[in-house]
Amino acid sequence: MQLLPLHTKVEHIQGGTFKHSTPLPRRINTTLHQNTTQHSNNHSTNNHNTRSTHNHTKNTTFRIQLRKINPDITTEKQKIFETTFKDLDVPLTKLSENNSGYYAITDEAAAVDKLTSLKATELFKKINLKPIFPPDLRAKKTIFIRQLDSSIGKLTPEEITREIKTQQPWAEILKVTKIKNYTHVIKITFSEISTTQKILQNGLLMFNTKITLSQIELEKYTYVQICY
């Protein structure tokens, strides 16, 4: 038996079989292909719209641990809500209790600075709580200053702290750390992320010199997952 090409028209005439080589019209197949393509495009568009909606409605939350100073004393939730709302202007979305205290949860990035500021630390201390910096958050508040003049680098952390506050009154410093015995590099942790961002944009003045942007580097935090 001879197999004929697809869409080949076969006519039976007297004395034998005659083949036409011209393909038959493919209107049905073309229409089916168009309908399939249109359905695929509509499905793709619907999926894109669905993903866009989900991305748009997804909320970001920030969590700060409030640890008990005295583990035998538990602070009432309403007292914490009152402190954060009235004294710090931070309306929390939730307080999640744990063995060591609470997790204060907010949906505002600016609230993180307020909850971990020096003012907040003092207020929480009065109600037996201490805000704990997550490692990634602490990194965003910390800078390294490199290529420092040795006349500055040899000074004590206390002297450097006083000078920075004098030249930049808006900068609240939590800690100045000397790196070993080096005099060309120091590490500074500020109380607010906004402070480090401002310094990374404008530089820093201290001891009659300007610390340029090329000398300043934000601390990097690397999450390491431990597998057992």
Side-chain angles (χ1 to χ4, degrees):
M1 178 183 296
Q2 182 181 4
L3 297 178
L4 300 178
L6 188 63
H7 308 306
T8 299
K9 181 179 180 181
V10 180
E11 293 182 355
H12 296 277
I13 61 175
Q14 186 178 4
T17 302
F18 178 76
K19 295 188 296 183
H20 285 294
S21 60
T22 304
L24 293 175
R26 301 180 63 182
R27 294 191 185 93
I28 294 177
N29 289 340
T30 302
T31 303
L32 178 61
H33 175 72
Q34 290 175 344
N35 289 340
T36 303
T37 303
Q38 182 65 33
H39 175 73
S40 177
N41 290 338
N42 290 340
H43 183 69
S44 176
T45 302
N46 290 337
N47 283 344
H48 175 72
N49 291 337
T50 302
R51 286 195 298 268
S52 298
T53 302
H54 288 330
N55 290 338
H56 180 70
T57 57
K58 185 178 179 180
N59 293 326
T60 301
T61 58
F62 303 90
R63 188 174 70 168
I64 301 297
Q65 183 178 1
L66 302 177
R67 182 179 295 171
K68 296 177 184 177
I69 298 175
N70 184 341
D72 298 326
I73 300 176
T74 299
T75 305
E76 294 182 359
K77 281 189 173 182
Q78 277 303 318
K79 187 62 178 177
I80 302 173
F81 282 130
E82 181 180 347
T83 299
T84 56
F85 185 78
K86 291 184 178 181
D87 298 327
L88 297 173
D89 192 27
V90 176
L92 298 178
T93 59
K94 185 179 180 181
L95 272 174
S96 178
E97 193 169 0
N98 55 59
N99 292 333
S100 59
Y102 295 92
Y103 282 113
I105 301 172
T106 176
D107 60 352
E108 299 179 5
V112 175
D113 276 344
K114 295 180 180 179
L115 290 172
T116 56
S117 65
L118 294 177
K119 178 182 178 181
T121 301
E122 292 300 320
L123 289 170
F124 284 130
K125 185 177 181 181
K126 294 179 181 179
I127 56 174
N128 193 47
L129 294 171
K130 178 182 179 181
I132 304 299
F133 294 124
D136 57 330
L137 177 61
R138 180 177 288 276
K140 293 179 180 179
K141 296 185 176 189
T142 303
I143 61 171
F144 287 91
I145 298 179
R146 306 184 186 279
Q147 301 174 357
L148 196 63
D149 189 89
S150 60
S151 64
I152 300 174
K154 69 180 183 180
L155 299 174
T156 66
E158 292 75 20
E159 290 173 318
I160 295 173
T161 298
R162 285 195 298 268
E163 175 64 14
I164 293 177
K165 287 184 176 181
T166 299
Q167 299 298 331
Q168 287 82 202
W170 41 267
E172 289 188 2
I173 299 175
L174 294 179
K175 188 177 183 181
V176 173
T177 305
K178 303 288 289 291
I179 309 299
K180 298 183 179 180
N181 294 322
Y182 299 146
T183 59
H184 66 281
V185 57
I186 58 173
K187 175 180 175 181
I188 306 175
T189 301
F190 295 93
S191 65
E192 298 182 359
I193 296 175
S194 58
T195 301
T196 59
Q197 291 175 339
K198 188 173 182 178
I199 291 172
L200 287 168
Q201 293 173 355
N202 303 310
L204 197 64
L205 297 176
M206 57 193 308
F207 298 105
N208 304 310
T209 66
K210 180 175 182 179
I211 308 301
T212 63
L213 304 185
S214 62
Q215 295 175 257
I216 304 172
E217 180 182 347
L218 188 66
E219 184 176 46
K220 295 181 177 64
Y221 170 74
T222 302
Y223 173 75
V224 178
Q225 184 174 3
I226 302 175
C227 299
Y228 296 95

